[in-house]
Amino acid sequence: MDMSPLWISLKTALAATAVAFILGITVAKAVSAYQGKLRSLLDGILILPLVLPPTVVGFLLLVLFGRSGPLGQLLALLGTTVIFTWSATVIASAVVAFPLIYRTALGAFEQVDPDLLDAARTMGVPERTIFARITVPLAWPGIAAGTILAFARALGEFGATLMLAGNIPGKTQTIPLAIFFLVESGQRARAVIWVLVIIVISLVAITGLQYWTNHQYQAHAPRAKEGKYGSLS
Amino acid sequence: MTFKWMLMMKKANLCITAFLLVILLAGCGVDSQPPALQPVTEQENGQEEITPQTLTVSAAASLTDVMEEIKGFYEEKTVHTLVMNYGSSGALQQQIEQGAPADVFISAAQRQMDVLQEEGLILAESRVDLLENKVVLIIPVAGDNKEITDFNSLTTDSLKLLAIGEPESVPAGRYAKEVLSSLGIWKKLEEKCVLGKDVRQVLTYVETGNVDAGIVYMTDALTSEKVKIAATAPAGSHTPVTYPAAIVRGTSVLQVAEDFMAYLQSNEVAEIFERHGFTFIAGR
């Protein structure tokens, strides 16, 4: 049996989670600092990929990245293309996974006690250090939960992937795509194997998350509260 | 699921007399039905009132345009409503196996119909080879790739991606694979192949220029002005592309289904099929 869908799926989900993690945290930090009028709209737009049908996300990405799309033409000038490549599977998965990290990180940042941050400021701690040493550790359980959910979502991405990355066995065919085409061609037994594989991976990720966040919450958060930042100055 | 529900709701909404009649008709054997072309009438109470019925036709995606036209003519001619369900023949076969409420099935290949016949899910005596199609190589008009002129030229380096249907589930894909295999270039091209979930998707991939070439049916190529036919598959490079049609066993509107099957084989419809690039072979 061809195992390539498993490796492609894992590689894609990991890469997409990494991209969504960096973007999600950065954007969440920017949005948490912004209190303007357009905040609700901005927030809505950033969460949109989570609630839109994947085919809509796929269509929009196709319009953007297709050979006649603005980004597609830009990339063509640089002599490259993402459509129907492995990068496309990462883009599709990262876009749908992004809101999960963004939203949980934003929520977690906003629950950090502002007095703690002000206390650090009175000690002359630079903002960047405050973010890295106080905000992120305190928000960590939320961020971690969002990251695992994003990983699971990236692993399961189907609609947008099929539209943007196509179905190329050994290159862009992830487990969900393999399952779809196996069922279509009536190869149920093989489809069942992949169904079980993806259930196991997702279940491990989600239960792992439960244990890990419990552990993190007990171990990490109180420690930061109990004056670890005192040693910063 | 939603589709199924919609159909169920529609059926539930039909008036009770029609429903009773439907059950009566479904109970009758095929042979006992007159090969009539006239619509179903309410015979019990002696009235000549025509009862409108809804006939669900599952048709291969490559038939989309021509069937839409035929649907228009048929609905004008009779009181019945056609609900068209398009998809890859493989998907449609699966739906029928899962009990989807299809009344007539038109497949783009014999294999799906064979499987359903073996499983006893279609009325074997109603099965007929309706159409024949050709397999062609298409390229985007916009790209103007002069290097791709026939199937053998697909091995050129300027071809980065070739779109075909997924060979296991999409008949157009299986024919494409047969053509490439018979020319001895399948192994070389295999990893450049983007496998579409149906033939329409392959056409879209080529239309948008996101792939350099694609293999579709002649009839699909003719529907688009954005693609150019570079070559027609040589005779004998693939099994003939024939479209069988049959009535699904257990249909609740058997007489309408028979009426529609007869209509599909009439000369009136033959002309429409031929205009769309099909070769009409029913009864010839």
Side-chain angles (χ1 to χ4, degrees):
Chain A
M1 185 165 168
D2 179 19
M3 293 304 284
S4 68
L6 175 62
W7 310 128
I8 293 169
S9 270
L10 287 177
K11 254 172 39 183
T12 301
L14 285 173
T17 310
V19 172
F21 182 83
I22 295 166
L23 285 177
I25 301 283
T26 317
V27 174
K29 181 174 183 275
V31 172
S32 69
Y34 172 72
Q35 296 295 343
K37 268 185 194 165
L38 292 173
R39 183 168 159 147
S40 296
L41 179 66
L42 187 67
D43 204 36
I45 291 170
L46 290 166
I47 294 172
L48 215 49
L50 183 68
V51 292
L52 281 178
T55 43
V56 172
V57 176
F59 176 79
L60 294 175
L61 289 173
L62 200 59
V63 168
L64 271 180
F65 285 100
R67 272 192 203 171
S68 47
L71 283 176
Q73 286 184 337
L74 196 71
L75 287 165
L77 286 178
L78 302 169
T80 181
T81 166
V82 297
I83 204 149
F84 300 142
T85 64
W86 179 69
S87 319
T89 66
V90 178
I91 292 172
S93 292
V95 167
V96 297
F98 166 82
L100 285 163
I101 295 186
Y102 158 74
R103 201 65 197 80
T104 47
L106 184 65
F109 287 162
E110 287 180 340
Q111 290 196 348
V112 172
D113 186 352
D115 289 347
L116 295 174
L117 306 179
D118 288 340
R121 287 188 189 109
T122 62
M123 295 174 204
V125 182
E127 284 297 323
R128 195 183 293 172
T129 316
I130 293 178
F131 182 70
R133 302 292 297 267
I134 304 172
T135 313
V136 170
L138 284 173
W140 190 245
I143 296 173
T147 308
I148 301 278
L149 288 175
F151 175 80
R153 180 68 186 84
L155 192 69
E157 173 44 37
F158 172 76
T161 308
L162 183 60
M163 290 179 84
L164 193 67
N167 174 38
I168 311 177
K171 220 165 115 192
T172 68
Q173 193 189 63
T174 57
I175 298 179
L177 264 67
I179 292 171
F180 177 80
F181 283 98
L182 285 172
V183 173
E184 286 277 284
S185 58
Q187 303 180 63
R188 280 170 173 268
R190 287 177 63 194
V192 166
I193 296 174
W194 286 121
V195 166
L196 292 175
V197 166
I198 210 144
I199 289 176
V200 167
I201 298 175
S202 305
L203 198 62
V204 166
I206 298 296
T207 27
L209 163 77
Q210 304 285 357
Y211 285 114
W212 195 47
T213 34
N214 287 344
H215 171 76
Q216 287 281 325
Y217 202 69
Q218 281 154 10
H220 219 126
R223 205 169 62 220
K225 264 186 190 152
E226 279 158 20
K228 199 185 175 190
Y229 50 88
S231 65
L232 284 175
S233 58
Chain B
M1 202 62 191
T2 332
F3 180 67
K4 219 170 172 178
W5 257 106
M6 272 167 49
L7 287 169
M8 284 169 71
M9 293 305 289
K10 257 192 188 166
K11 282 192 178 162
N13 285 340
L14 283 178
C15 63
I16 292 165
T17 41
F19 195 63
L20 284 173
L21 186 68
V22 153
I23 290 167
L24 269 172
L25 286 171
C28 300
V30 168
D31 294 335
S32 66
Q33 292 300 316
L37 262 163
Q38 74 263 86
V40 182
T41 53
E42 284 198 21
Q43 283 149 351
E44 302 105 304
N45 50 19
Q47 286 174 4
E48 281 302 301
E49 198 179 296
I50 299 163
T51 313
Q53 305 273 17
T54 302
L55 187 75
T56 305
V57 180
S58 284
S62 53
L63 292 165
T64 307
D65 289 337
V66 69
M67 286 312 292
E68 282 304 307
E69 196 175 331
I70 289 172
K71 172 181 149 82
F73 281 113
Y74 186 74
E75 287 180 341
E76 213 168 89
K77 201 162 127 5
T78 70
V79 294
H80 307 304
T81 310
L82 291 185
V83 174
M84 305 305 301
N85 174 29
Y86 302 108
S88 78
S89 303
L92 298 174
Q93 173 209 328
Q94 296 267 325
Q95 289 172 3
I96 292 170
E97 285 173 344
Q98 301 305 322
D103 301 309
V104 169
F105 177 42
I106 313 175
S107 170
Q110 298 292 341
R111 195 176 68 162
Q112 284 75 15
M113 197 64 94
D114 289 344
V115 173
L116 290 179
Q117 187 166 348
E118 274 164 33
E119 293 168 342
L121 291 170
I122 56 159
L123 300 174
E125 57 275 29
S126 70
R127 180 171 170 174
V128 63
D129 284 340
L130 206 58
L131 305 165
E132 207 172 278
N133 210 338
K134 294 188 182 75
V135 174
V136 295
L137 176 67
I138 54 169
I139 55 172
V141 168
D144 197 30
N145 188 326
K146 293 200 169 58
E147 285 184 56
I148 301 170
T149 51
D150 63 11
F151 282 88
N152 280 307
S153 65
L154 288 174
T155 49
T156 172
D157 287 337
S158 71
L159 181 116
K160 299 273 186 294
L161 290 165
L162 170 71
I164 65 170
E166 205 273 331
E168 294 294 324
S169 61
V170 187
R174 195 160 49 82
Y175 297 127
K177 186 178 169 182
E178 278 179 22
V179 173
L180 298 177
S181 300
S182 78
L183 296 171
I185 53 176
W186 169 249
K187 282 274 165 272
K188 262 187 215 164
L189 288 170
E190 203 176 350
E191 51 187 43
K192 286 183 177 176
C193 282
V194 184
L195 308 181
K197 66 175 173 52
D198 57 46
V199 71
R200 289 279 148 163
Q201 191 174 36
V202 174
L203 183 67
T204 310
Y205 284 164
V206 181
E207 279 181 334
T208 53
N210 286 318
V211 298
D212 304 299
I215 300 177
V216 297
Y217 298 121
M218 169 72 91
T219 49
D220 296 299
L222 291 177
T223 61
S224 174
E225 288 174 357
K226 294 179 199 155
V227 303
K228 199 160 74 179
I229 297 173
T232 305
S237 64
H238 61 89
T239 47
V241 187
T242 47
Y243 287 61
I247 297 173
V248 178
R249 189 180 292 277
T251 171
S252 56
V253 283
L254 183 61
Q255 200 167 340
V256 184
E258 286 180 338
D259 177 54
F260 182 67
M261 285 291 287
Y263 181 68
L264 282 179
Q265 296 168 56
S266 67
N267 283 331
E268 190 184 341
V269 173
E271 184 266 324
I272 305 171
F273 278 128
E274 299 271 354
R275 187 150 40 77
H276 281 265
F278 290 98
T279 313
F280 188 76
I281 55 167
R284 292 182 188 178

